[in-house]
Amino acid sequence: MITEFAAAQRDLELDDLFLTIGHRFGRVELRRRMRDYVRGLLAPVARKNSWQLAEEAGHSTPDGLQHILAGSKWEPDDIRDDLQEHVVGKLGEADGVLIIDDTGFIKKGNTSAGVQRQRSGTAGRTENCQIGGATRGHTL
């Protein structure tokens, strides 16, 4: 379980991150929604669907979060580049390396986003799973 101090620290780090990437979301409402969405993904919410993420953020409906993902204009490649620069500034070392390893999470059903039969390194075979990322190493 995340401590109150750790949650506060995470929120400060997210605020710092959104100072870096916020300009990519044109309007302040979009920046706030994306920040709420990311906070919800990092929160200890049992199911990461639009309704529960909206409830975690204090929204009455998931409409705003769904709009940021499906209807608003933003460039993921530009945000990725800003995020990379941000992380390098926080963690980077001149000779550092970051390795990202796709990790499969076995799923029994197919209601979670991205679930399908695919190769899972975790299972060592093709399974009904969802792929997530894990990092190895600590320097960039």
Side-chain angles (χ1 to χ4, degrees), residues 100-127:
I100 299 179
D101 176 27
D102 289 337
T103 302
F105 303 98
I106 305 299
K107 295 288 190 172
K108 293 193 187 302
N110 61 1
T111 57
S112 298
V115 172
Q116 61 184 350
R117 288 195 56 77
Q118 53 196 322
R119 173 79 181 148
S120 167
T122 305
R125 62 187 178 278
T126 299
E127 280 288 336

Side-chain angles (χ1 to χ4, degrees), residues 27-81:
R27 296 190 344 254
V28 70
E29 299 85 19
L30 297 177
R31 287 191 286 274
R32 287 181 183 144
R33 285 182 194 149
M34 184 56 85
R35 187 181 60 210
D36 288 346
Y37 178 73
V38 171
R39 278 194 173 124
L41 290 174
L42 295 173
V45 176
R47 296 183 58 106
K48 308 288 184 177
N49 62 44
S50 295
W51 274 104
Q52 267 136 356
L53 295 178
E55 286 176 4
E56 175 70 19
H59 299 203
S60 57
T61 70
D63 297 346
L65 297 182
Q66 289 173 341
H67 173 72
I68 191 92
L69 297 174
S72 64
K73 302 283 188 231
W74 49 279
E75 295 296 328
D77 291 344
D78 293 341
I79 294 168
R80 179 207 55 222
D81 294 345

